[in-house]
Amino acid sequence: MFVEQIIILRMKLSKTEEELMNHLWKLNKAFMKDLLEVYPEPKPATTTVATLLKRMTDKGFVGYNLLGNARQYYPLVKKKDYFSKHLDGLIKTFFNDSASQFASFFAQETDLSKEELEELRNLIDTEIKNK
């Protein structure tokens, strides 16, 4: 887990890598053909996906098992861990390392309904009770 945290802190995925990683997180394990199937039209070229997978493997985000001549890919980093580290960086960079400033911005600047805001309040109340 410690090595995984270092990878997440030091490495970022490009937008196209994140898109592919999202497909892999949903599938959990996938062959190249499985990944190509989940892309919307127009689908990327097989060579493009292969290049992305190679880069993501080199960065330590993706692993694979060799089954015959085919590679079955799987994520090495959990989606929650990846995005929580990036959210932490966003809060540090743009909100003076203040989660309350981020929450204030999020509540005021997004188009949340009253019901969604109440749901957020309930989530926060639950977290407060659990602390």
Side-chain angles (χ1 to χ4, degrees):
M1 183 68 176
F2 179 71
V3 172
E4 183 177 285
Q5 289 174 336
I6 291 172
I7 290 169
I8 295 169
L9 287 172
R10 291 189 172 200
M11 296 276 194
K12 288 186 179 179
L13 296 172
S14 68
K15 294 239 184 258
T16 54
E17 290 169 342
E18 277 185 7
E19 181 181 12
L20 179 55
M21 197 70 191
N22 271 311
H23 293 311
L24 194 53
W25 278 319
K26 286 178 188 167
L27 295 170
N28 197 34
K29 288 184 180 179
F31 293 98
M32 175 71 73
K33 68 177 180 60
D34 302 322
L35 291 166
L36 286 167
E37 282 177 13
V38 296
Y39 270 95
E41 293 294 338
K43 295 185 184 297
T46 303
T47 54
T48 301
V49 176
T51 299
L52 291 171
L53 286 166
K54 169 82 170 94
R55 275 196 266 161
M56 293 160 62
T57 300
D58 291 346
K59 288 181 179 181
F61 284 93
V62 174
Y64 63 87
N65 293 315
L66 199 55
L67 303 172
N69 290 335
R71 291 181 179 183
Q72 184 181 42
Y73 296 94
Y74 56 90
L76 293 174
V77 175
K78 293 178 184 141
K79 184 176 185 176
K80 179 183 172 188
D81 294 339
Y82 177 74
F83 286 104
S84 68
K85 291 296 177 197
H86 289 290
L87 182 59
D88 288 346
L90 182 77
I91 291 170
K92 282 181 181 165
T93 303
F94 295 104
F95 298 98
N96 300 317
D97 205 12
S98 169
S100 60
Q101 281 184 19
F102 169 74
S104 174
F105 175 84
F106 180 77
Q108 292 172 3
E109 300 299 325
T110 56
D111 193 21
L112 297 174
S113 67
K114 181 179 180 181
E115 292 78 22
E116 290 171 318
L117 287 168
E118 287 171 350
E119 192 175 321
L120 281 174
R121 181 174 52 197
N122 290 337
L123 287 168
I124 291 168
D125 289 343
T126 301
E127 285 300 312
I128 291 169
K129 288 177 189 173
N130 291 335
K131 296 281 177 177

